[in-house]
């Protein structure tokens, strides 16, 4: 079994953090609101931390990483180096940007940040936002590592803009796109 206390990047207990396992045969996708999809793995083990940030989760065979996600940060911890009594979350990288278009219509475009690759120490993720009336998007989050940001046109076409970049925890990034 693995247990500990999860702390937000600012040192406060992480109430509502999602704790789960990853492994060669246990790959899950984290999306908005820290939902961990596991429809292919109904036997998945996960738990949410209470107000004090504590967790206790039974270890299962075939897992390589303890993963933790929270609105304020994330952690990936190798199972062969189990977490100690306390785990400090890394802050999310924050991505913002702007979309320009010759047609001028950049309102409500879907903007998605996804895993650009699947290194063993990074969970798979898919976070989404939309552009505002000026074609800007803000506060798209991602863990450290390679991230693909995709802009989908809202004109019914299959037009897409894609950029891949490396991000670091706690850093802010600004991307520009042209339709």
């Amino acid at each position: 079994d693995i247990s500990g206390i999860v702390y937000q990047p600012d040192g406060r207990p992480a109430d509502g953090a999602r704790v789960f396992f990853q492994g060669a045969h246990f790959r899950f996708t984290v999306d908005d609101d820290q939902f961990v999809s596991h429809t292919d793995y109904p036997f998945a083990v996960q738990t949410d931390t209470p107000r004090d940030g504590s967790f206790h989760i039974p270890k299962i065979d075939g897992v390589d990483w303890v993963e933790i996600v929270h609105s304020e940060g994330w952690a990936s911890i190798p199972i062969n180096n189990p977490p100690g009594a306390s785990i400090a979350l890394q802050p999310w990288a924050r991505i913002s940007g702007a979309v320009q278009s010759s047609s001028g219509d950049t309102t409500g475009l879907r903007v998605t940040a996804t895993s650009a690759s699947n290194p063993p120490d990074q969970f798979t993720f898919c976070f989404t936002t939309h552009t505002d009336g000026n074609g800007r998007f803000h506060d798209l989050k991602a863990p450290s590592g390679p991230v693909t940001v995709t802009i989908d046109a809202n004109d019914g076409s299959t037009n897409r803009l894609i950029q891949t970049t490396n991000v670091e925890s706690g850093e802010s990034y600004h991307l520009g796109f042209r339709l």
Side-chain angles (χ1 to χ4, degrees):
D1 289 2
I2 296 175
S3 59
I5 299 175
V6 181
Y7 292 95
Q8 296 180 45
D10 66 6
R12 293 181 296 142
D15 181 12
R18 174 81 30 105
V19 181
F20 61 102
F21 291 122
Q22 292 270 51
H25 302 289
F26 301 97
R27 297 292 294 181
F28 307 112
T29 300
V30 177
D31 67 13
D32 302 309
D33 301 319
Q34 289 73 247
F35 175 75
V36 178
S37 66
H38 53 79
T39 54
D40 295 336
Y41 307 101
F43 49 86
V45 176
Q46 68 183 31
T47 190
D48 293 338
T49 60
R51 180 173 285 182
D52 67 358
S54 65
F55 73 92
H56 179 87
I57 190 168
K59 184 181 178 296
I60 56 175
D61 291 335
V63 298
D64 301 315
W65 297 87
V66 174
E67 307 284 1
I68 304 169
V69 292
H70 182 268
S71 61
E72 298 301 317
W74 62 279
S76 292
I77 302 158
I79 206 79
N80 62 0
N81 186 19
S86 62
I87 300 163
L89 297 177
Q90 296 295 311
W92 295 105
R94 300 290 179 171
I95 303 168
S96 63
V99 181
Q100 297 177 336
S101 171
S102 56
S103 71
D105 183 19
T106 57
T107 302
L109 300 175
R110 180 183 160 134
V111 183
T112 307
T114 56
S115 314
S117 64
N118 288 324
D121 62 339
Q122 184 185 53
F123 53 85
T124 305
F125 62 92
C126 181
F127 299 122
T128 304
T129 191
H130 291 85
T131 56
D132 63 17
N134 295 314
R136 291 186 220 131
F137 60 93
H138 309 277
D139 241 4
L140 199 57
K141 63 187 176 185
S144 293
V147 176
T148 298
V149 178
T150 305
I151 311 286
D152 290 310
N154 59 359
D155 61 3
S157 71
T158 57
N159 292 338
R160 263 188 165 169
L161 301 172
I162 300 172
Q163 277 190 44
T164 299
T165 189
N166 280 312
V167 300
E168 295 295 327
S169 286
E171 298 295 321
S172 295
Y173 298 84
H174 184 82
L175 303 177
F177 292 87
R178 185 160 195 77
L179 278 175

Coordinates of all heavy atoms in Angstrom, one line a residue, residues 14-52:
A14 N -3.6 19.6 -0.2 CA -4.3 19.5 -1.5 C -5.6 18.8 -1.4 O -5.7 17.6 -1.6 CB -3.4 18.9 -2.6
D15 N -6.7 19.5 -1.0 CA -8.0 18.9 -0.8 C -8.5 18.6 -2.2 O -8.5 19.5 -3.1 CB -8.9 20.0 -0.2 CG -10.3 19.5 0.0 OD1 -10.6 18.3 -0.2 OD2 -11.2 20.3 0.4
G16 N -9.0 17.4 -2.5 CA -9.5 17.0 -3.8 C -8.5 16.6 -4.8 O -8.9 16.5 -6.0
A17 N -7.3 16.3 -4.5 CA -6.3 15.8 -5.4 C -6.7 14.4 -5.8 O -7.2 13.6 -5.0 CB -4.9 15.8 -4.9
R18 N -6.5 14.1 -7.1 CA -6.8 12.7 -7.6 C -5.5 12.0 -7.6 O -4.5 12.4 -8.2 CB -7.4 12.8 -9.0 CG -7.6 11.6 -9.7 CD -8.9 10.8 -9.4 NE -10.0 11.4 -9.0 CZ -11.1 11.7 -9.7 NH1 -11.2 11.3 -11.0 NH2 -12.2 12.3 -9.2
V19 N -5.4 10.8 -7.0 CA -4.2 10.0 -6.9 C -4.6 8.7 -7.6 O -5.6 8.0 -7.4 CB -3.9 9.6 -5.4 CG1 -2.6 8.8 -5.4 CG2 -3.7 10.9 -4.6
F20 N -3.7 8.3 -8.6 CA -3.9 7.1 -9.3 C -2.6 6.5 -9.8 O -1.5 7.1 -9.6 CB -4.8 7.4 -10.5 CG -4.3 8.4 -11.5 CD1 -3.8 8.0 -12.7 CD2 -4.4 9.7 -11.2 CE1 -3.3 8.9 -13.6 CE2 -3.9 10.7 -12.1 CZ -3.4 10.2 -13.3
F21 N -2.6 5.3 -10.4 CA -1.4 4.6 -10.9 C -1.4 4.7 -12.4 O -2.4 4.7 -13.1 CB -1.4 3.2 -10.5 CG -1.3 2.9 -9.0 CD1 -2.2 2.2 -8.3 CD2 -0.2 3.4 -8.3 CE1 -2.1 2.0 -6.9 CE2 0.0 3.1 -7.0 CZ -1.0 2.4 -6.3
Q22 N -0.1 4.6 -12.9 CA 0.1 4.4 -14.3 C 1.1 3.3 -14.5 O 1.9 3.1 -13.6 CB 0.7 5.7 -15.0 CG -0.2 6.9 -15.0 CD -1.0 7.0 -16.3 OE1 -1.7 6.0 -16.7 NE2 -1.0 8.1 -16.9
G23 N 1.1 2.7 -15.6 CA 2.0 1.6 -15.9 C 1.9 1.3 -17.4 O 1.1 1.8 -18.1
A24 N 2.7 0.3 -17.8 CA 2.7 -0.1 -19.2 C 1.4 -0.5 -19.7 O 1.0 -0.3 -20.8 CB 3.7 -1.2 -19.4
H25 N 0.6 -1.1 -18.8 CA -0.8 -1.6 -19.2 C -1.8 -0.7 -18.5 O -3.0 -1.1 -18.5 CB -0.9 -3.0 -18.8 CG 0.1 -3.9 -19.5 ND1 0.1 -4.2 -20.8 CD2 1.2 -4.5 -19.0 CE1 1.1 -4.9 -21.2 NE2 1.8 -5.2 -20.1
F26 N -1.5 0.4 -17.9 CA -2.4 1.2 -17.2 C -2.1 2.7 -17.6 O -1.4 3.4 -16.9 CB -2.2 1.1 -15.6 CG -2.4 -0.2 -15.1 CD1 -1.4 -1.1 -14.9 CD2 -3.7 -0.7 -14.8 CE1 -1.6 -2.3 -14.3 CE2 -3.9 -1.9 -14.3 CZ -2.8 -2.8 -14.0
R27 N -2.6 3.1 -18.8 CA -2.4 4.5 -19.2 C -3.8 5.1 -19.2 O -4.7 4.6 -19.9 CB -1.8 4.5 -20.6 CG -0.4 3.9 -20.7 CD 0.6 4.7 -20.0 NE 0.8 6.0 -20.7 CZ 1.7 6.8 -20.3 NH1 2.5 6.5 -19.3 NH2 1.9 8.0 -20.9
F28 N -3.9 6.2 -18.6 CA -5.1 7.0 -18.4 C -4.9 8.4 -18.9 O -3.8 8.9 -19.0 CB -5.6 7.0 -17.0 CG -5.7 5.6 -16.4 CD1 -4.8 5.3 -15.4 CD2 -6.6 4.7 -16.8 CE1 -4.8 4.0 -14.8 CE2 -6.6 3.4 -16.3 CZ -5.8 3.1 -15.3
T29 N -6.0 9.0 -19.3 CA -6.0 10.4 -19.8 C -6.7 11.3 -18.7 O -7.8 11.0 -18.3 CB -6.8 10.5 -21.1 OG1 -6.1 9.7 -22.1 CG2 -6.7 12.0 -21.6
V30 N -6.0 12.3 -18.3 CA -6.5 13.3 -17.4 C -7.0 14.5 -18.2 O -6.4 15.0 -19.1 CB -5.4 13.8 -16.5 CG1 -5.9 14.9 -15.6 CG2 -4.8 12.7 -15.7
D31 N -8.3 14.9 -18.0 CA -8.8 16.0 -18.7 C -9.3 17.1 -17.8 O -8.9 17.1 -16.6 CB -10.0 15.6 -19.6 CG -11.2 15.1 -18.9 OD1 -11.3 15.3 -17.7 OD2 -12.1 14.5 -19.5
D32 N -10.0 18.1 -18.3 CA -10.4 19.2 -17.4 C -11.1 18.7 -16.2 O -11.7 17.6 -16.1 CB -11.4 20.1 -18.2 CG -10.8 20.5 -19.5 OD1 -9.7 21.1 -19.5 OD2 -11.4 20.3 -20.6
D33 N -10.9 19.4 -15.1 CA -11.5 19.0 -13.8 C -10.9 17.8 -13.2 O -11.5 17.1 -12.3 CB -13.0 18.9 -13.8 CG -13.7 20.2 -14.3 OD1 -13.3 21.2 -13.9 OD2 -14.6 20.1 -15.1
Q34 N -9.7 17.4 -13.6 CA -8.9 16.3 -13.1 C -9.6 15.0 -13.2 O -9.4 14.0 -12.5 CB -8.6 16.5 -11.6 CG -7.5 17.5 -11.3 CD -8.0 18.9 -11.5 OE1 -7.6 19.6 -12.4 NE2 -8.9 19.4 -10.7
F35 N -10.5 14.8 -14.2 CA -11.2 13.6 -14.4 C -10.2 12.6 -15.0 O -9.5 12.9 -16.0 CB -12.4 13.7 -15.3 CG -13.0 12.4 -15.7 CD1 -13.8 11.7 -14.8 CD2 -12.8 11.8 -16.9 CE1 -14.4 10.5 -15.1 CE2 -13.4 10.6 -17.2 CZ -14.2 10.0 -16.3
V36 N -10.1 11.4 -14.5 CA -9.2 10.4 -15.0 C -10.0 9.4 -15.7 O -10.8 8.7 -15.1 CB -8.4 9.8 -13.8 CG1 -7.5 8.7 -14.4 CG2 -7.6 10.8 -13.1
S37 N -9.9 9.3 -17.0 CA -10.7 8.4 -17.8 C -10.0 7.0 -17.7 O -8.8 6.9 -17.8 CB -10.8 8.8 -19.2 OG -9.6 8.8 -19.9
H38 N -10.9 6.0 -17.5 CA -10.3 4.7 -17.4 C -11.4 3.7 -17.9 O -11.6 2.6 -17.3 CB -9.8 4.3 -16.0 CG -10.8 4.6 -14.9 ND1 -11.9 3.8 -14.6 CD2 -11.0 5.6 -14.1 CE1 -12.6 4.2 -13.7 NE2 -12.0 5.4 -13.3
T39 N -12.1 4.0 -19.0 CA -13.2 3.1 -19.4 C -12.6 1.8 -19.9 O -13.3 0.8 -19.8 CB -13.9 3.8 -20.6 OG1 -13.0 4.2 -21.6 CG2 -14.7 5.0 -20.1
D40 N -11.4 1.8 -20.4 CA -10.8 0.5 -20.8 C -10.2 -0.3 -19.6 O -9.8 -1.4 -19.7 CB -9.6 0.7 -21.7 CG -10.1 1.3 -23.0 OD1 -11.3 1.2 -23.4 OD2 -9.3 2.0 -23.7
Y41 N -10.2 0.4 -18.4 CA -9.6 -0.2 -17.2 C -10.6 -0.1 -16.0 O -10.3 0.7 -15.1 CB -8.3 0.4 -16.9 CG -7.3 0.5 -18.0 CD1 -7.1 1.6 -18.7 CD2 -6.6 -0.7 -18.4 CE1 -6.3 1.6 -19.8 CE2 -5.7 -0.6 -19.4 CZ -5.5 0.5 -20.1 OH -4.7 0.6 -21.2
P42 N -11.7 -0.8 -16.0 CA -12.7 -0.6 -15.0 C -12.1 -1.0 -13.6 O -12.7 -0.7 -12.6 CB -13.8 -1.5 -15.4 CG -13.2 -2.5 -16.3 CD -12.1 -1.8 -17.0
F43 N -11.0 -1.7 -13.6 CA -10.4 -2.2 -12.3 C -9.4 -1.2 -11.8 O -8.7 -1.5 -10.8 CB -9.7 -3.5 -12.5 CG -8.8 -3.6 -13.7 CD1 -7.5 -3.1 -13.5 CD2 -9.3 -4.0 -14.9 CE1 -6.7 -3.1 -14.6 CE2 -8.4 -4.0 -16.0 CZ -7.1 -3.5 -15.9
A44 N -9.4 0.0 -12.4 CA -8.4 1.0 -12.0 C -8.5 1.4 -10.5 O -9.6 1.4 -10.0 CB -8.5 2.3 -12.9
V45 N -7.3 1.7 -9.9 CA -7.3 2.1 -8.5 C -7.0 3.6 -8.5 O -6.0 4.0 -9.1 CB -6.2 1.3 -7.8 CG1 -6.1 1.8 -6.4 CG2 -6.5 -0.2 -7.8
Q46 N -7.9 4.3 -7.9 CA -7.7 5.7 -7.7 C -8.4 6.2 -6.4 O -9.3 5.5 -5.9 CB -8.1 6.5 -8.9 CG -9.6 6.5 -9.1 CD -10.1 7.3 -10.3 OE1 -9.3 7.3 -11.3 NE2 -11.2 7.8 -10.3
T47 N -8.0 7.4 -5.9 CA -8.7 7.9 -4.8 C -8.5 9.4 -4.8 O -7.7 10.0 -5.5 CB -8.1 7.4 -3.5 OG1 -8.9 7.8 -2.4 CG2 -6.6 7.8 -3.2
D48 N -9.4 10.1 -4.1 CA -9.3 11.6 -4.0 C -8.9 11.9 -2.6 O -9.4 11.3 -1.6 CB -10.7 12.2 -4.3 CG -11.0 12.1 -5.8 OD1 -10.1 11.9 -6.6 OD2 -12.2 12.2 -6.1
T49 N -8.1 12.9 -2.4 CA -7.7 13.3 -1.0 C -8.8 14.1 -0.4 O -9.4 15.0 -1.0 CB -6.4 14.1 -1.1 OG1 -6.6 15.3 -1.9 CG2 -5.2 13.3 -1.7
P50 N -8.9 14.0 1.0 CA -9.8 14.8 1.7 C -9.2 16.2 2.0 O -8.0 16.4 1.6 CB -10.1 14.0 3.0 CG -8.9 13.2 3.2 CD -8.4 12.9 1.8
R51 N -9.8 16.9 2.9 CA -9.3 18.3 3.2 C -7.9 18.3 3.7 O -7.2 19.3 3.4 CB -10.3 18.9 4.3 CG -9.9 20.3 4.7 CD -10.9 20.9 5.6 NE -12.0 21.2 4.7 CZ -13.1 21.8 5.2 NH1 -13.2 22.1 6.4 NH2 -14.0 22.1 4.3
D52 N -7.4 17.3 4.4 CA -6.0 17.3 4.9 C -5.0 16.9 3.9 O -3.8 16.8 4.2 CB -5.9 16.5 6.2 CG -6.1 15.0 6.0 OD1 -6.4 14.6 4.8 OD2 -6.0 14.3 7.0

